[in-house]
Amino acid sequence: MPPRTCLCGLPASYQDCCGRLHRGEAAAATAEQLMRSRFTAFGVGDEAYLLRTWHPSDRPQRAGIDRRVKWVRLEVLETTGGSVVHTEGTVRFRAHYLERGRPGEMEEHSRFVRLDGRWVYAGVV
């Protein structure tokens, strides 16, 4: 069951925020919005969305969702480019999780590009 409040950190319900993107009712307008929706997809276990939004040149066969990890909070630390007028952008973020009840965090600087008019994840900077 999806969370009521969106995991991405924006003040909206999951259904009205990242849920719309996951269901294909909307596309991410910015690289940051795509990154937030991908974080949430890991949290709700939406592997199909993760694969759909991964650049085909390095898309894995599986997204590698670990059900033992519960993603709990996201901090966006920095963005470059990635707006509605850009074709490339980066987002540096810190993702907080619980694994077997123990808190942890991971930090990544991700690259995003527009492919056929849509933002896709293009790997780590």
Side-chain angles (χ1 to χ4, degrees):
M1 181 167 176
R4 289 180 194 225
T5 303
C6 198
L7 289 173
C8 79
L10 297 178
S13 71
Y14 168 77
Q15 295 300 330
D16 293 336
C17 193
C18 292
R20 295 177 320 109
L21 280 67
H22 295 172
R23 293 187 304 272
E25 297 169 4
T30 65
E32 180 180 332
Q33 187 180 27
L34 180 66
M35 189 280 309
R36 287 179 180 277
S37 70
R38 286 176 55 82
F39 170 81
T40 301
F42 273 104
V44 300
D46 191 341
E47 183 174 46
Y49 180 78
L50 290 166
L51 294 173
R52 246 187 351 264
T53 58
W54 212 307
H55 196 283
S57 68
D58 65 347
R59 180 185 304 137
Q61 292 292 317
R62 300 195 48 127
I65 295 174
D66 186 343
R67 304 278 182 206
R68 297 170 298 185
V69 175
K70 179 180 179 187
W71 297 98
V72 295
R73 186 166 62 91
L74 176 68
E75 291 177 81
V76 174
L77 304 173
E78 174 186 14
T79 63
T80 61
S83 77
V84 296
V85 298
H86 292 104
T87 57
E88 293 188 15
T90 66
V91 180
R92 192 167 64 84
F93 65 91
R94 184 175 300 126
H96 298 265
Y97 61 87
L98 294 172
E99 184 173 10
R100 298 183 179 150
R102 285 183 281 201
E105 61 183 49
M106 57 93 52
E107 196 169 308
E108 184 174 301
H109 195 178
S110 299
R111 182 172 168 262
F112 299 88
V113 297
R114 282 195 194 265
L115 181 67
D116 299 326
R118 292 185 178 258
W119 287 106
V120 293
Y121 172 70
V124 178
V125 173

